[in-house]
Amino acid sequence: MSPPDPIEPCPTPPAMDAALPPAVVATILSRLDVRSLLLAAAACRGLRTCASHALAFLPTFHLLEVALTHDLLRPLLPPNPSLRSLRLDCARLDDDAIGCLARSSLHELLLLNCENISGRLLSKLGTTCRDLRVLSLNSLGERRGLVVNFSDLQELLNGCSQLESLRLALDFSTFDDPNFGRVWASASERLSSLEIGYIPMTMLLELLTAVVEVQQCMDYVKTPVFFPSLQKLCLTVDFITDHLIGSISVALPSLTHLDLQDAPIIEPTSSSDLTNTGLQQINPHGKLKHISLTRSQEFLVTSFRRVNDLGILLMADKCSNLESVCLGGFSRVTDTGFRAIIHSCSGLHKLRVSHGSHLTDLVFHDIIATSLCLTHVSLRWCKLLTDVGIERLSFNKDLNVLDLRDCRSLGDEAVRALSCLPKLQTLSLDGTDISDEALKYLGLGTCPLASLSLRGCRKLTNDSIPLLFAGSVKQSLQVLDISRIPSVTDDGIMLLARSRTPLIELRMRENPKIGDAAVMALASMQVDGGTYGSSLQLLDLYDCGGITPLATRWFKKPYFPRLRWLGITGSLNRVMVDALARSRPFLHMACRGEELGTMLWDTYSDWYRHNDDDLDELEQWLLEGEPVSDDDTIMEE
């Protein structure tokens, strides 16, 4: 066949519905996630029609990257009897959206940032979502003036009789009612996981007492069964006490996961504290796989002063099947107690110790004698730990996550030992004593790092950046934190930009020598031929000393098209910051020093990443409708 005459015009491409049968297009679009579907809808009129049709049949609707208003969300959630899973960021929604969120067909509902939504959502779910299996809500009704009533909780528990997992990250003191304990008798018998933000000790003991009373009279009186399937319990209380541990062990014999945290506002007395006696009551039936006991320092610098090595030894002897252990605030426990856990629990995969003031290198002295199956290790604020201990720990070749924040005696040799771990993806070295040499080890090493945190490592300089990206780390690293490092300047960020590493998150807050030139370099960086600054989804510049109002101009389109989180000093130039917020309504602006994106990334996925750069079209389609050019319209007609 001869080529077409170059003088003659080429025939007009066929319209979408002529090129492909609608059924084929619909099948293709039905395979896409919501975000990709909306991007396809922004491409042309034909795909927009097909996408609108597909939205009425999608089984899952997950859109956590952006917080939509009710007006934008409503057309994306038409009546859909097939919708089973809904995950949303509700930061811009209020009670008007409750009818849109409570779908009778739902099996899973995960909602973040519900501070503008009242307790009416709970009662609506109870009356509408009879088949709901998984419910996760956080920050419900936190805005001043909104109410979450006990009757709302009652409606939820009475109506959602199929619930298997319930996570209500809110203050349960708002549900204080004489019938609080008894209302849980109507909870789903299938409930296997219960996570509560905070519950006062009196209310929790009332609930556990009601559970035990029912168990004692079950043989001769027909009564509702409390939590017959509950395996996971996570909550925060006033104080973790011996009485609480004993009550949980008696009332909930099927637990496999127990996660307790307290945050005392006064120093606990002997009767309101955890002791060695309480630890002996843990796991009487030998079913526990995960145990977490932590004392928060949020209100008071305190610890479990009445627990020593003997208590941990007794617990380890009864918990040899544990796979995950988290201990925080056990200031009197020494290497003897921590070693007992590592050596007694042959299947231990995850170990977390925080504020281990007596933990030293001896904990890992003979770790080679264990099963060496640790994959996740966190040793925060263990200030006596040195390079020698980490070298021993590195015998665990399956280590995937390692958190060594504020272990101030650690240096370059520890990083050298870790740099060859074949599975290490997440490494936190905040506040350690490492130098540029440590990053040279990482750069030349073989670990496939995806996340590296170096916050507060004051010995690092600009020279560390090219050393880090000299090897394979450049291909794998997605998250980097270089905040609070005084010697890092604009020149260092320019070196980072030249490396063209496809970072998704970059934090460099509170660096006095980083300024506008760093922002310009990042805005101009191209990765794999994409648009300028295309890979970054999160950028934290809060309190960087050299940032001026000039920098805000570089956050306007077309720069940083995928940016979803921006930290910047609010007083920089209020008018320009407000103008930026208006021009990019889907950009989360944090101007008061708050940490960025942790809820989204920790909850939704480990390293969430998209492979396209066309977020501008997504925003335009959501805000204004379909961005179809005149040429596209002519071709379709």
Side-chain angles (χ1 to χ4, degrees), residues 78-122:
N80 179 3
S82 301
L83 187 63
R84 295 291 182 266
S85 176
L86 178 60
R87 298 180 183 180
L88 292 173
D89 183 340
C90 298
R92 303 176 70 190
L93 300 179
D94 54 26
D95 278 7
D96 291 340
I98 289 178
C100 188
L101 301 175
R103 303 296 184 99
S104 59
S105 61
L106 285 177
H107 288 178
E108 179 193 48
L109 181 61
L110 185 152
L111 302 178
L112 303 180
N113 304 318
C114 304
E115 55 266 16
N116 297 315
I117 301 177
S118 73
R120 285 179 47 207
L121 175 61
L122 297 180

Side-chain angles (χ1 to χ4, degrees), residues 40-315:
C44 69
R45 197 178 305 280
L47 283 177
R48 179 181 177 87
T49 301
C50 292
S52 298
H53 182 70
L55 287 170
F57 298 96
L58 283 182
T60 61
F61 190 101
H62 298 170
L63 192 63
L64 289 167
E65 303 97 322
V66 296
L68 302 180
T69 63
H70 186 211
D71 289 339
L72 293 175
L73 180 63
R74 188 170 52 240
L76 303 182
L77 285 174
N80 179 3
S82 301
L83 187 63
R84 295 291 182 266
S85 176
L86 178 60
R87 298 180 183 180
L88 292 173
D89 183 340
C90 298
R92 303 176 70 190
L93 300 179
D94 54 26
D95 278 7
D96 291 340
I98 289 178
C100 188
L101 301 175
R103 303 296 184 99
S104 59
S105 61
L106 285 177
H107 288 178
E108 179 193 48
L109 181 61
L110 185 152
L111 302 178
L112 303 180
N113 304 318
C114 304
E115 55 266 16
N116 297 315
I117 301 177
S118 73
R120 285 179 47 207
L121 175 61
L122 297 180
S123 59
K124 183 66 173 178
L125 292 174
T127 57
T128 305
C129 304
R130 301 290 184 175
D131 292 326
L132 198 62
R133 267 70 164 176
V134 178
L135 175 61
S136 178
L137 306 175
N138 83 316
S139 308
L140 184 68
E142 286 189 356
R143 195 188 72 194
R144 181 174 297 180
L146 293 180
V147 178
V148 183
N149 293 316
F150 175 71
S151 59
D152 298 325
L153 176 65
Q154 197 169 21
E155 287 276 4
L156 176 73
L157 296 179
N158 287 336
C160 297
S161 59
Q162 305 298 312
L163 270 180
E164 299 171 5
S165 176
L166 176 60
R167 181 179 182 271
L168 296 178
L170 50 90
D171 185 351
F172 264 53
S173 63
T174 59
F175 297 136
D176 193 10
D177 186 275
N179 295 316
F180 175 79
R182 295 292 173 183
V183 75
W184 288 90
S186 61
S188 168
E189 294 186 5
R190 299 183 179 185
L191 193 65
S192 62
S193 176
L194 177 61
E195 300 182 51
I196 293 173
Y198 166 75
I199 180 170
M201 176 69 72
T202 53
M203 295 176 64
L204 179 58
L205 290 176
E206 176 189 345
L207 170 58
L208 295 172
T209 299
V211 174
V212 173
E213 289 175 352
V214 168
Q215 291 174 349
Q216 291 174 345
C217 66
M218 278 180 61
D219 293 337
Y220 50 89
V221 178
K222 186 176 181 180
T223 58
V225 181
F226 280 70
F227 307 127
S229 306
L230 195 65
Q231 297 181 346
K232 180 178 181 180
L233 179 65
C234 305
L235 44 84
T236 300
V237 294
D238 317 76
F239 300 101
I240 299 175
T241 68
D242 292 350
H243 182 41
L244 174 62
I245 294 293
S247 299
I248 290 175
S249 297
V250 173
L252 305 171
S254 299
L255 284 184
T256 60
H257 289 65
L258 178 60
D259 188 332
L260 299 178
Q261 176 177 304
D262 66 5
I265 57 176
I266 60 173
E267 187 63 37
T269 64
S270 57
S271 61
S272 62
D273 203 2
L274 181 65
T275 70
N276 293 339
T277 302
L279 289 181
Q280 293 183 66
Q281 301 178 62
I282 291 177
N283 201 28
H285 303 281
K287 295 181 180 180
L288 275 183
K289 298 293 183 182
H290 166 88
I291 180 71
S292 177
L293 301 171
T294 59
R295 176 151 284 175
S296 170
Q297 313 289 309
E298 181 179 0
F299 305 114
L300 181 70
V301 178
T302 184
S303 63
F304 294 108
R305 304 181 191 276
R306 295 172 176 85
V307 174
N308 55 29
D309 289 337
L310 177 60
I312 299 297
L313 288 168
L314 293 171
M315 184 186 79

Side-chain angles (χ1 to χ4, degrees), residues 309-460:
D309 289 337
L310 177 60
I312 299 297
L313 288 168
L314 293 171
M315 184 186 79
D317 185 56
K318 300 179 66 174
C319 300
S320 59
N321 292 326
L322 285 176
E323 299 174 0
S324 173
V325 174
C326 175
L327 299 175
F330 288 82
S331 61
R332 295 187 61 197
V333 178
T334 70
D335 296 332
T336 301
F338 296 125
R339 282 182 72 256
I341 293 174
I342 296 174
H343 287 262
S344 299
C345 306
S346 59
L348 190 66
H349 297 300
K350 300 180 180 180
L351 174 67
R352 179 180 178 184
V353 177
S354 61
H355 295 285
S357 54
H358 294 294
L359 187 149
T360 74
D361 298 335
L362 292 177
V363 169
F364 305 116
H365 174 66
D366 53 354
I367 196 170
I368 194 70
T370 70
S371 59
L372 293 176
C373 57
L374 288 173
T375 60
H376 295 63
V377 175
S378 176
L379 302 168
R380 294 194 64 183
W381 294 294
C382 296
K383 299 179 182 179
L384 299 181
L385 194 63
T386 73
D387 296 353
V388 175
I390 299 304
E391 289 172 356
R392 296 282 181 174
L393 176 63
S394 67
F395 289 152
N396 287 269
K397 299 303 180 184
D398 290 332
L399 271 177
N400 180 264
V401 175
L402 183 57
D403 183 354
L404 300 172
R405 282 175 283 180
D406 296 295
C407 294
R408 298 179 181 176
S409 299
L410 296 184
D412 297 341
E413 290 304 311
V415 179
R416 184 177 189 173
L418 298 173
S419 64
C420 296
L421 289 174
K423 299 181 181 180
L424 186 63
Q425 292 187 316
T426 303
L427 179 60
S428 299
L429 297 169
D430 303 11
T432 57
D433 197 40
I434 63 172
S435 69
D436 294 347
E437 191 73 10
L439 296 201
K440 178 181 179 181
Y441 293 140
L442 285 178
L444 298 176
T446 57
C447 54
L449 277 183
S451 175
L452 176 63
S453 184
L454 304 168
R455 183 176 296 197
C457 296
R458 304 180 68 85
K459 286 187 176 182
L460 296 179

